[in-house]
Amino acid sequence: LPKRGAVVINYDILDAWVDVLLSWDPQTVLADEVQAVGNPKAKRSKAFAAIAKDRGLIPMSGTPARTCPAQLFTVLNALDPVTFKDHWRYLHKYCDPKTDGFGTTFKGSTNAEELHEKIRPLGIRYTKLEVLKDLPDRVYNPVLMDCEVSKEYQDAQDKILSLQGHSPGQLRERLSALTASAFELKKESVLEWISEFLETGNKLVVFGWHVAVLDYLEAHLGKQCVRVSGGVSKDARERAVQRFVNDNRCKVFLGNIQAAGVGIDGLQEVCSDVAFVELCWSPADLDQSESRLHRLGQKSSVTVHYLLAAGTIDTVMAATLEKRKNALRLVVDGKTEPNEDESIVGMIRNLQREESR
């Protein structure tokens, strides 16, 4: 090792440096944000496994898997290669295998309680509220946007959600197009909701997924917003944060869920409301985005608004996210949401009942 005795390296370049790191023969590997090696087939995951083998390993993460228990295997195998030695057996026992014409997928969760008992001795788990005991609550507020679902959209959604015999890549592309179409149905209602919110005098953080969606919002909000999307430099990110925090005329922080969901601090000093105009399929990514406000330094209860188009892919995604979130909580924490009525799906169901009366 270099004379300083420690090396800090990014996951993005880990594969290129693996031979050098192995030649230095480190005693201990500290792996922050270890969910980055969730895909065992990825080069970075293979490099991580090679470096961690037969060494002291301390993996760290608030969200150790992005979507499902299958993404835990790399780190579990590194921590306990005896219990978690067989990848095939792990997937088929704990990851709800589903077979179609393109092979077998492992996106779900089975035998979660058993897996939790095997994981529990391998680490120490603290929730955010256990560590930051004075942190205010985080409250969820699903909002059903006023919009009309066209027959063309409904037919397209029904067709896509019932697709069989298509590759996962094709399905992802069509689902992405469907979520963009759902925003088109609600975009005027979203702008109206944001406008009404800003009349309170409070600032708002808004997250979306598609470039076109953020383009649309930025064009209509103009100088009263700043934006952080993919490809933005570190300096530009910091300038956006500082303007949002210090400029009273800047009311809205627009961010891409992946690009602005991590590595940003300071928004919590002036804001306690975050709105998602689009969702994604990863509960971990949403949690990271919400945590730009729900973090140390926040003085008020954080309200998370989900702006959903009723009867569209929005509500399907909300249900899928909650299912994935509960599956991961059961595996990692050994518990799920205690009250169904307090869940996002439960709240949406109650809103739909009220609207149908």
Side-chain angles (χ1 to χ4, degrees), residues 26-30 55-58:
Q27 293 183 341
T28 305
V29 176
L30 278 72
R55 291 181 173 85
L57 173 62
I58 304 177

Side-chain angles (χ1 to χ4, degrees), residues 203-205 207 224-229 232-256 259-271 292-293 295:
K203 296 198 176 195
L204 178 67
V205 173
F207 281 106
Q224 64 180 330
C225 77
V226 290
R227 174 177 171 181
V228 172
S229 299
V232 174
S233 69
K234 184 177 180 180
D235 288 343
R237 288 161 65 96
E238 185 57 29
R239 286 196 299 271
V241 171
Q242 290 306 314
R243 182 171 173 237
F244 181 73
V245 172
N246 297 313
D247 188 346
N248 290 331
R249 295 168 298 178
C250 182
K251 299 295 185 181
V252 179
F253 181 96
L254 292 176
N256 169 269
V262 295
I264 288 180
D265 190 24
L267 306 180
Q268 74 276 15
E269 296 175 14
V270 295
C271 183
R292 296 315 94 206
L293 295 183
R295 62 195 296 108

Side-chain angles (χ1 to χ4, degrees), residues 143-151 153-154 157 179 181-192 277 307-315 355:
V143 183
L144 297 182
M145 295 285 94
D146 184 18
C147 61
E148 184 176 344
V149 179
S150 66
K151 184 177 185 303
Y153 174 88
Q154 192 64 60
Q157 176 170 297
T179 59
S181 297
F183 180 80
E184 285 295 312
L185 297 175
K186 67 182 180 183
K187 64 182 182 181
E188 293 181 3
S189 294
V190 167
L191 280 177
E192 183 179 351
V277 299
L307 308 187
L308 309 173
T312 72
I313 189 68
D314 283 358
T315 52
E355 288 194 352

